[in-house]
Each structure stands twice: as C-alpha cells, then as structure tokens.
C-alpha cells in the first residue's frame, strides 16, 4: 500500500459552477479508500469552506490533499488579497462577502469557524497583498 | 420515511430522483450554505428556497438524503443538470418551509 497519495487541484476564482469540485473529488477518493463516513464528512466540510473562500475572496488558488492511512492534510494556497486580521476573520458571522455572493447563500461568516470546528488542526497563514495558506489536518478514527 | 414517501406527502414535483428509496431520518431548514454544511445531519431532508448550483455541491458534501425546494422556487439554470450529474434527490413543493416541515413531521414522522 502507498504511504501517501498526493492530489492537486486548480480552483478557479469567481466560478460558482465548478466551486466545490476539488472537495467532491477528495471526498470520493476518501470514501473509496474506506475512510469512515464521519471523518470523510469532516474533511469535506472543512475543505469545501476553504475552497469556496478561494473562489470568493482570493480569485482562485490551488488545493492539495495529502492522504495517509490515518490522516489527511488539505492545503489551500492562494495569491489573493490576504487577510488583515485573522482573529477578526475567525469570528462567527464576520464576512466581507459582496451582496452578489450573499445572494447565492454564501457570506454567512461561518466558513473559518466551520474549518476550526471540523478539522483537528486548522492553521491559517496570511499576508496582505501576498495571499493566504490554510492547512487542515484531519485524523481518522 | 423514504424520499418517495416525502414527495407524496408534500405533493411535490420530482426535480431529480437518484434514489427514491433512500431513507430520511431527520430534517434541516436553512438557506445559508455554511450553516447547512456545518449543521445539516447526513440522511436528513434539507428544506430551502435556494436553487443555485451550489446547493447541489452542499447537498452532496453534507450527504443529505433529499433537497426540498419550498415556495415553488424555480431551479436556476444548470441546477437540474448538476443534480442529475451528482445523483442527488431534489423535490419541489409550493408549500412554505414551515408548512412543508409540519407535514413531514406529522405525516412522515421525522
Ligand atoms: N482565502 C482568503 N483570502 C482572502 N480573504 C479571506 C480568505 N478566506 C477568508 N477570508 C476573509 O475572512 C472572512 C471570513 O471568512 P469566512 O468565515 O469563510 O466567511 P465568509 O466566507 O462567509 O465571508 C471573509 O469574509 C474574508 O474577508
Ligand atoms: Mg467562507
């Protein structure tokens, strides 16, 4: 058995039709590996929020999944505008999403809180004007 | 209760049925996708008025049994195709969310 499987996806900015497809692919892969449904769901929720954030707030980016027997590490990297105050961005309800995006059902300001809640580790690194990197570690039961 | 059962109870229209025999064990109502992602239980019926393609992605990832579009809200372009592609159950009722849930609880015992 392989020790680690590495998957890579390009995430298009502002494309709401393809948004979520990277996460769907990772979910299908984990399911196929036989990872228990609860853990698959946790990975999917956290990764989807990160993927959507790159679509909405960062004009796209890249999603990477490193899958091991006992854990999965999702890395979301973008070269978007960055997050000025991460503590503020983590507050439930805080959102800078536009009205247009809100009309689609996004912008509840629960994305980062969901990531914190569902991933075992959620590391956010960001620099204004440079971009954002989010690392999500989920350990399998 | 199955998806087909709920469809009958609500006199709903079948927008896309991938597995009408899938069991529904509970429900969730809401339109804000991050709330749905974080809170809708798997195998639930999700009651909403949202009809864009992102509803399909969220329904798949949250693994709900069925999306129940309420208020006769019409699917936006691309929605039906995406629902078919992802194999999710979607039904549409003219009832408002409260009325639809009341029927699902009273007649469907979820
Ligand atoms: N990848 C990113 N690039 C730039 N800003 C981001 C990114 N992710 C999150 N943010 C900022 O953090 C805020 C909170 O994010 P989140 O909790 O997901 O809420 P929402 O996406 O609903 O606005 C966003 O409104 C945005 O200002
Ligand atoms: Mg978000």
């Amino acid at each position: 058995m392989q020790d680690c499987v590495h998957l890579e996806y390009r995430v298009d900015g502002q494309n709401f039709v393809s948004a979520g497809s990277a996460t769907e692919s990772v979910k299908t892969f984990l399911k196929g590996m036989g990872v228990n449904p609860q853990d698959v769901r946790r990975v999917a929720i956290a990764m989807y929020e990160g993927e959507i954030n790159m679509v909405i707030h960062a004009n796209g980016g890249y999603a990477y999944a490193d899958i091991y027997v006992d854990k999965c590490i999702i890395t979301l990297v973008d070269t978007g505008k960055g997050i000025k105050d991460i503590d503020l961005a983590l507050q439930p309800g805080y959102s800078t999403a536009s009205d247009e995006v809100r009309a689609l059902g996004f912008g509840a300001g629960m994305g980062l809180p969901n990531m914190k809640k569902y991933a075992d580790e959620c590391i956010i690194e960001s620099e204004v004007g440079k971009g954002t990197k989010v690392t999500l570690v989920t350990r399998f039961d | 209760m199955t998806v087909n059962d709920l469809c009958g109870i609500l006199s709903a229209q079948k927008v896309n049925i991938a597995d009408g025999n899938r069991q529904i064990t509970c429900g969730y109502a809401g339109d804000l996708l991050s709330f749905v992602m974080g809170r809708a239980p798997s195998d639930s019926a999700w009651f909403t008025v949202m009809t864009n393609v992102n509803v399909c992605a969220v329904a798949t990832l949250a693994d709900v049994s069925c999306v129940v579009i309420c208020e006769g809200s019409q699917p936006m372009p691309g929605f039906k195709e995406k629902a078919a592609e992802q194999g999710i159950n979607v039904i549409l009722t003219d009832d408002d969310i409260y009325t639809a849930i009341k029927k699902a609880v009273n007649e469907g015992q979820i």
Side-chain angles (χ1 to χ4, degrees), chain A residues 6-40:
Chain A
H6 181 76
L7 306 171
E8 295 190 15
Y9 306 88
R10 216 207 111 73
V11 176
D12 291 337
Q14 305 301 321
N15 184 338
F16 295 100
V17 177
S18 65
S21 55
T23 305
E24 277 154 27
S25 166
V26 169
K27 181 185 173 178
T28 304
F29 189 90
L30 293 175
K31 248 174 131 175
M33 257 179 74
V35 174
N36 80 74
Q38 240 79 326
D39 289 335
V40 174

mmCIF file of all heavy atoms in Angstrom, chain A residues 6-40:
data_model
loop_
_atom_site.group_PDB
_atom_site.id
_atom_site.type_symbol
_atom_site.label_atom_id
_atom_site.label_comp_id
_atom_site.label_asym_id
_atom_site.label_seq_id
_atom_site.Cartn_x
_atom_site.Cartn_y
_atom_site.Cartn_z
ATOM 1 N N HIS A 6 -0.967 11.928 -3.131
ATOM 2 C CA HIS A 6 -0.984 13.381 -3.259
ATOM 3 C C HIS A 6 -1.905 13.776 -4.408
ATOM 4 O O HIS A 6 -1.729 13.327 -5.527
ATOM 5 C CB HIS A 6 0.447 13.885 -3.518
ATOM 6 C CG HIS A 6 0.537 15.366 -3.647
ATOM 7 N ND1 HIS A 6 0.479 16.210 -2.558
ATOM 8 C CD2 HIS A 6 0.663 16.162 -4.738
ATOM 9 C CE1 HIS A 6 0.578 17.464 -2.983
ATOM 10 N NE2 HIS A 6 0.677 17.464 -4.296
ATOM 11 N N LEU A 7 -2.882 14.607 -4.118
ATOM 12 C CA LEU A 7 -3.812 15.069 -5.152
ATOM 13 C C LEU A 7 -3.722 16.585 -5.267
ATOM 14 O O LEU A 7 -3.525 17.276 -4.258
ATOM 15 C CB LEU A 7 -5.258 14.673 -4.798
ATOM 16 C CG LEU A 7 -5.530 13.191 -4.508
ATOM 17 C CD1 LEU A 7 -6.943 13.007 -3.959
ATOM 18 C CD2 LEU A 7 -5.340 12.348 -5.759
ATOM 19 N N GLU A 8 -3.832 17.097 -6.492
ATOM 20 C CA GLU A 8 -3.730 18.545 -6.709
ATOM 21 C C GLU A 8 -4.882 19.052 -7.552
ATOM 22 O O GLU A 8 -5.270 18.388 -8.505
ATOM 23 C CB GLU A 8 -2.441 18.874 -7.478
ATOM 24 C CG GLU A 8 -1.176 18.570 -6.725
ATOM 25 C CD GLU A 8 0.053 19.138 -7.431
ATOM 26 O OE1 GLU A 8 -0.112 20.000 -8.326
ATOM 27 O OE2 GLU A 8 1.148 18.735 -7.069
ATOM 28 N N TYR A 9 -5.362 20.229 -7.227
ATOM 29 C CA TYR A 9 -6.469 20.820 -7.984
ATOM 30 C C TYR A 9 -6.245 22.305 -8.172
ATOM 31 O O TYR A 9 -5.803 23.001 -7.265
ATOM 32 C CB TYR A 9 -7.803 20.638 -7.243
ATOM 33 C CG TYR A 9 -8.091 19.219 -6.877
ATOM 34 C CD1 TYR A 9 -7.634 18.697 -5.667
ATOM 35 C CD2 TYR A 9 -8.792 18.390 -7.739
ATOM 36 C CE1 TYR A 9 -7.875 17.378 -5.321
ATOM 37 C CE2 TYR A 9 -9.036 17.069 -7.403
ATOM 38 C CZ TYR A 9 -8.578 16.577 -6.198
ATOM 39 O OH TYR A 9 -8.810 15.271 -5.862
ATOM 40 N N ARG A 10 -6.614 22.794 -9.342
ATOM 41 C CA ARG A 10 -6.664 24.233 -9.555
ATOM 42 C C ARG A 10 -8.086 24.672 -9.230
ATOM 43 O O ARG A 10 -9.044 24.040 -9.662
ATOM 44 C CB ARG A 10 -6.386 24.530 -11.039
ATOM 45 C CG ARG A 10 -5.595 25.802 -11.261
ATOM 46 C CD ARG A 10 -5.866 26.423 -12.603
ATOM 47 N NE ARG A 10 -6.588 27.670 -12.395
ATOM 48 C CZ ARG A 10 -6.017 28.766 -11.925
ATOM 49 N NH1 ARG A 10 -4.749 28.790 -11.655
ATOM 50 N NH2 ARG A 10 -6.724 29.858 -11.720
ATOM 51 N N VAL A 11 -8.223 25.742 -8.464
ATOM 52 C CA VAL A 11 -9.558 26.245 -8.125
ATOM 53 C C VAL A 11 -9.747 27.596 -8.804
ATOM 54 O O VAL A 11 -8.972 28.523 -8.578
ATOM 55 C CB VAL A 11 -9.717 26.378 -6.585
ATOM 56 C CG1 VAL A 11 -11.062 26.981 -6.225
ATOM 57 C CG2 VAL A 11 -9.531 25.024 -5.911
ATOM 58 N N ASP A 12 -10.729 27.680 -9.664
ATOM 59 C CA ASP A 12 -10.952 28.920 -10.414
ATOM 60 C C ASP A 12 -11.634 29.985 -9.558
ATOM 61 O O ASP A 12 -12.571 29.685 -8.832
ATOM 62 C CB ASP A 12 -11.848 28.657 -11.632
ATOM 63 C CG ASP A 12 -11.130 27.820 -12.687
ATOM 64 O OD1 ASP A 12 -9.882 27.837 -12.689
ATOM 65 O OD2 ASP A 12 -11.819 27.168 -13.473
ATOM 66 N N GLY A 13 -11.166 31.218 -9.681
ATOM 67 C CA GLY A 13 -11.789 32.318 -8.952
ATOM 68 C C GLY A 13 -13.119 32.711 -9.571
ATOM 69 O O GLY A 13 -13.275 32.646 -10.783
ATOM 70 N N GLN A 14 -14.074 33.062 -8.724
ATOM 71 C CA GLN A 14 -15.372 33.586 -9.167
ATOM 72 C C GLN A 14 -16.184 32.605 -10.016
ATOM 73 O O GLN A 14 -17.180 32.987 -10.614
ATOM 74 C CB GLN A 14 -15.206 34.905 -9.952
ATOM 75 C CG GLN A 14 -14.446 35.985 -9.199
ATOM 76 C CD GLN A 14 -15.099 36.366 -7.887
ATOM 77 O OE1 GLN A 14 -16.326 36.445 -7.789
ATOM 78 N NE2 GLN A 14 -14.311 36.581 -6.846
ATOM 79 N N ASN A 15 -15.748 31.341 -10.064
ATOM 80 C CA ASN A 15 -16.526 30.364 -10.837
ATOM 81 C C ASN A 15 -17.385 29.550 -9.871
ATOM 82 O O ASN A 15 -16.921 28.634 -9.202
ATOM 83 C CB ASN A 15 -15.580 29.441 -11.616
ATOM 84 C CG ASN A 15 -16.346 28.482 -12.512
ATOM 85 O OD1 ASN A 15 -17.522 28.212 -12.280
ATOM 86 N ND2 ASN A 15 -15.685 27.977 -13.533
ATOM 87 N N PHE A 16 -18.661 29.888 -9.821
ATOM 88 C CA PHE A 16 -19.550 29.259 -8.843
ATOM 89 C C PHE A 16 -20.151 27.959 -9.341
ATOM 90 O O PHE A 16 -20.819 27.269 -8.594
ATOM 91 C CB PHE A 16 -20.633 30.247 -8.408
ATOM 92 C CG PHE A 16 -20.048 31.404 -7.668
ATOM 93 C CD1 PHE A 16 -19.838 32.614 -8.305
ATOM 94 C CD2 PHE A 16 -19.655 31.252 -6.350
ATOM 95 C CE1 PHE A 16 -19.256 33.673 -7.623
ATOM 96 C CE2 PHE A 16 -19.068 32.290 -5.668
ATOM 97 C CZ PHE A 16 -18.870 33.508 -6.308
ATOM 98 N N VAL A 17 -19.924 27.664 -10.600
ATOM 99 C CA VAL A 17 -20.423 26.392 -11.130
ATOM 100 C C VAL A 17 -19.451 25.264 -10.772
ATOM 101 O O VAL A 17 -19.856 24.196 -10.331
ATOM 102 C CB VAL A 17 -20.633 26.470 -12.657
ATOM 103 C CG1 VAL A 17 -21.084 25.129 -13.209
ATOM 104 C CG2 VAL A 17 -21.674 27.540 -12.973
ATOM 105 N N SER A 18 -18.154 25.538 -10.908
ATOM 106 C CA SER A 18 -17.167 24.493 -10.602
ATOM 107 C C SER A 18 -16.798 24.475 -9.115
ATOM 108 O O SER A 18 -16.173 23.533 -8.640
ATOM 109 C CB SER A 18 -15.909 24.692 -11.441
ATOM 110 O OG SER A 18 -15.283 25.903 -11.084
ATOM 111 N N ALA A 19 -17.190 25.507 -8.372
ATOM 112 C CA ALA A 19 -16.840 25.600 -6.953
ATOM 113 C C ALA A 19 -17.277 24.347 -6.207
ATOM 114 O O ALA A 19 -18.425 23.938 -6.299
ATOM 115 C CB ALA A 19 -17.486 26.826 -6.331
ATOM 116 N N GLY A 20 -16.349 23.748 -5.508
ATOM 117 C CA GLY A 20 -16.661 22.543 -4.731
ATOM 118 C C GLY A 20 -16.175 21.271 -5.397
ATOM 119 O O GLY A 20 -16.160 20.207 -4.775
ATOM 120 N N SER A 21 -15.753 21.362 -6.658
ATOM 121 C CA SER A 21 -15.393 20.127 -7.370
ATOM 122 C C SER A 21 -14.115 19.482 -6.830
ATOM 123 O O SER A 21 -14.001 18.258 -6.819
ATOM 124 C CB SER A 21 -15.305 20.367 -8.875
ATOM 125 O OG SER A 21 -14.418 21.411 -9.137
ATOM 126 N N ALA A 22 -13.164 20.293 -6.346
ATOM 127 C CA ALA A 22 -11.962 19.712 -5.744
ATOM 128 C C ALA A 22 -12.353 18.909 -4.504
ATOM 129 O O ALA A 22 -11.917 17.780 -4.304
ATOM 130 C CB ALA A 22 -10.967 20.813 -5.385
ATOM 131 N N THR A 23 -13.214 19.513 -3.689
ATOM 132 C CA THR A 23 -13.653 18.834 -2.471
ATOM 133 C C THR A 23 -14.434 17.564 -2.800
ATOM 134 O O THR A 23 -14.253 16.528 -2.160
ATOM 135 C CB THR A 23 -14.527 19.782 -1.617
ATOM 136 O OG1 THR A 23 -13.779 20.977 -1.364
ATOM 137 C CG2 THR A 23 -14.911 19.144 -0.304
ATOM 138 N N GLU A 24 -15.274 17.633 -3.813
ATOM 139 C CA GLU A 24 -16.043 16.444 -4.205
ATOM 140 C C GLU A 24 -15.110 15.308 -4.614
ATOM 141 O O GLU A 24 -15.335 14.147 -4.277
ATOM 142 C CB GLU A 24 -17.000 16.788 -5.351
ATOM 143 C CG GLU A 24 -18.288 17.419 -4.848
ATOM 144 C CD GLU A 24 -18.938 18.325 -5.894
ATOM 145 O OE1 GLU A 24 -18.719 18.081 -7.092
ATOM 146 O OE2 GLU A 24 -19.645 19.263 -5.494
ATOM 147 N N SER A 25 -14.050 15.663 -5.332
ATOM 148 C CA SER A 25 -13.098 14.650 -5.782
ATOM 149 C C SER A 25 -12.370 14.000 -4.602
ATOM 150 O O SER A 25 -12.220 12.781 -4.549
ATOM 151 C CB SER A 25 -12.121 15.307 -6.755
ATOM 152 O OG SER A 25 -11.026 14.490 -6.976
ATOM 153 N N VAL A 26 -11.961 14.835 -3.634
ATOM 154 C CA VAL A 26 -11.278 14.293 -2.453
ATOM 155 C C VAL A 26 -12.236 13.420 -1.647
ATOM 156 O O VAL A 26 -11.878 12.340 -1.170
ATOM 157 C CB VAL A 26 -10.703 15.435 -1.577
ATOM 158 C CG1 VAL A 26 -10.235 14.916 -0.223
ATOM 159 C CG2 VAL A 26 -9.558 16.133 -2.303
ATOM 160 N N LYS A 27 -13.467 13.864 -1.541
ATOM 161 C CA LYS A 27 -14.462 13.087 -0.798
ATOM 162 C C LYS A 27 -14.647 11.708 -1.430
ATOM 163 O O LYS A 27 -14.662 10.689 -0.742
ATOM 164 C CB LYS A 27 -15.796 13.841 -0.781
ATOM 165 C CG LYS A 27 -16.857 13.086 0.007
ATOM 166 C CD LYS A 27 -18.226 13.716 -0.034
ATOM 167 C CE LYS A 27 -19.208 12.776 0.653
ATOM 168 N NZ LYS A 27 -20.558 13.308 0.718
ATOM 169 N N THR A 28 -14.772 11.684 -2.741
ATOM 170 C CA THR A 28 -14.949 10.419 -3.456
ATOM 171 C C THR A 28 -13.739 9.502 -3.225
ATOM 172 O O THR A 28 -13.882 8.306 -3.002
ATOM 173 C CB THR A 28 -15.119 10.688 -4.967
ATOM 174 O OG1 THR A 28 -16.208 11.595 -5.122
ATOM 175 C CG2 THR A 28 -15.401 9.418 -5.739
ATOM 176 N N PHE A 29 -12.549 10.104 -3.244
ATOM 177 C CA PHE A 29 -11.330 9.330 -3.035
ATOM 178 C C PHE A 29 -11.300 8.710 -1.636
ATOM 179 O O PHE A 29 -11.009 7.525 -1.473
ATOM 180 C CB PHE A 29 -10.100 10.216 -3.263
ATOM 181 C CG PHE A 29 -8.819 9.443 -3.267
ATOM 182 C CD1 PHE A 29 -8.325 8.933 -4.448
ATOM 183 C CD2 PHE A 29 -8.134 9.207 -2.084
ATOM 184 C CE1 PHE A 29 -7.152 8.190 -4.459
ATOM 185 C CE2 PHE A 29 -6.957 8.465 -2.080
ATOM 186 C CZ PHE A 29 -6.462 7.957 -3.269
ATOM 187 N N LEU A 30 -11.615 9.518 -0.616
ATOM 188 C CA LEU A 30 -11.576 9.026 0.764
ATOM 189 C C LEU A 30 -12.612 7.931 0.993
ATOM 190 O O LEU A 30 -12.355 6.932 1.654
ATOM 191 C CB LEU A 30 -11.820 10.185 1.750
ATOM 192 C CG LEU A 30 -10.733 11.265 1.809
ATOM 193 C CD1 LEU A 30 -11.167 12.403 2.719
ATOM 194 C CD2 LEU A 30 -9.410 10.677 2.291
ATOM 195 N N LYS A 31 -13.778 8.124 0.398
ATOM 196 C CA LYS A 31 -14.847 7.125 0.507
ATOM 197 C C LYS A 31 -14.369 5.803 -0.088
ATOM 198 O O LYS A 31 -14.560 4.744 0.501
ATOM 199 C CB LYS A 31 -16.079 7.605 -0.284
ATOM 200 C CG LYS A 31 -17.276 7.961 0.585
ATOM 201 C CD LYS A 31 -18.357 8.557 -0.296
ATOM 202 C CE LYS A 31 -19.711 7.948 -0.067
ATOM 203 N NZ LYS A 31 -20.735 8.662 -0.881
ATOM 204 N N GLY A 32 -13.737 5.909 -1.259
ATOM 205 C CA GLY A 32 -13.229 4.728 -1.957
ATOM 206 C C GLY A 32 -12.153 4.005 -1.163
ATOM 207 O O GLY A 32 -11.994 2.792 -1.257
ATOM 208 N N MET A 33 -11.404 4.784 -0.348
ATOM 209 C CA MET A 33 -10.362 4.199 0.499
ATOM 210 C C MET A 33 -10.946 3.474 1.699
ATOM 211 O O MET A 33 -10.235 2.793 2.426
ATOM 212 C CB MET A 33 -9.505 5.341 1.058
ATOM 213 C CG MET A 33 -8.174 5.543 0.419
ATOM 214 S SD MET A 33 -7.388 6.957 1.228
ATOM 215 C CE MET A 33 -6.891 6.284 2.826
ATOM 216 N N GLY A 34 -12.231 3.733 1.950
ATOM 217 C CA GLY A 34 -12.879 3.102 3.093
ATOM 218 C C GLY A 34 -12.747 3.884 4.386
ATOM 219 O O GLY A 34 -12.976 3.353 5.466
ATOM 220 N N VAL A 35 -12.382 5.164 4.289
ATOM 221 C CA VAL A 35 -12.323 6.022 5.484
ATOM 222 C C VAL A 35 -13.743 6.139 6.041
ATOM 223 O O VAL A 35 -14.705 6.225 5.279
ATOM 224 C CB VAL A 35 -11.786 7.420 5.122
ATOM 225 C CG1 VAL A 35 -11.863 8.377 6.305
ATOM 226 C CG2 VAL A 35 -10.350 7.316 4.617
ATOM 227 N N ASN A 36 -13.898 6.120 7.351
ATOM 228 C CA ASN A 36 -15.251 6.112 7.921
ATOM 229 C C ASN A 36 -16.005 7.402 7.573
ATOM 230 O O ASN A 36 -15.422 8.493 7.517
ATOM 231 C CB ASN A 36 -15.234 5.791 9.416
ATOM 232 C CG ASN A 36 -14.885 6.984 10.250
ATOM 233 O OD1 ASN A 36 -15.689 7.890 10.424
ATOM 234 N ND2 ASN A 36 -13.652 7.009 10.738
ATOM 235 N N PRO A 37 -17.308 7.262 7.306
ATOM 236 C CA PRO A 37 -18.122 8.368 6.780
ATOM 237 C C PRO A 37 -18.050 9.651 7.606
ATOM 238 O O PRO A 37 -18.050 10.746 7.044
ATOM 239 C CB PRO A 37 -19.544 7.810 6.790
ATOM 240 C CG PRO A 37 -19.383 6.332 6.738
ATOM 241 C CD PRO A 37 -18.099 6.022 7.443
ATOM 242 N N GLN A 38 -17.949 9.510 8.939
ATOM 243 C CA GLN A 38 -17.875 10.699 9.808
ATOM 244 C C GLN A 38 -16.629 11.534 9.474
ATOM 245 O O GLN A 38 -16.681 12.759 9.392
ATOM 246 C CB GLN A 38 -17.791 10.256 11.277
ATOM 247 C CG GLN A 38 -18.912 10.757 12.124
ATOM 248 C CD GLN A 38 -20.165 9.933 11.907
ATOM 249 O OE1 GLN A 38 -20.419 9.464 10.808
ATOM 250 N NE2 GLN A 38 -20.960 9.766 12.951
ATOM 251 N N ASP A 39 -15.509 10.861 9.310
ATOM 252 C CA ASP A 39 -14.263 11.557 9.017
ATOM 253 C C ASP A 39 -14.265 12.124 7.600
ATOM 254 O O ASP A 39 -13.756 13.221 7.367
ATOM 255 C CB ASP A 39 -13.061 10.624 9.222
ATOM 256 C CG ASP A 39 -12.810 10.332 10.698
ATOM 257 O OD1 ASP A 39 -13.206 11.172 11.537
ATOM 258 O OD2 ASP A 39 -12.218 9.288 11.011
ATOM 259 N N VAL A 40 -14.844 11.392 6.657
ATOM 260 C CA VAL A 40 -14.956 11.887 5.281
ATOM 261 C C VAL A 40 -15.749 13.187 5.299
ATOM 262 O O VAL A 40 -15.388 14.186 4.668
ATOM 263 C CB VAL A 40 -15.669 10.855 4.360
ATOM 264 C CG1 VAL A 40 -15.901 11.457 2.981
ATOM 265 C CG2 VAL A 40 -14.855 9.570 4.256
#
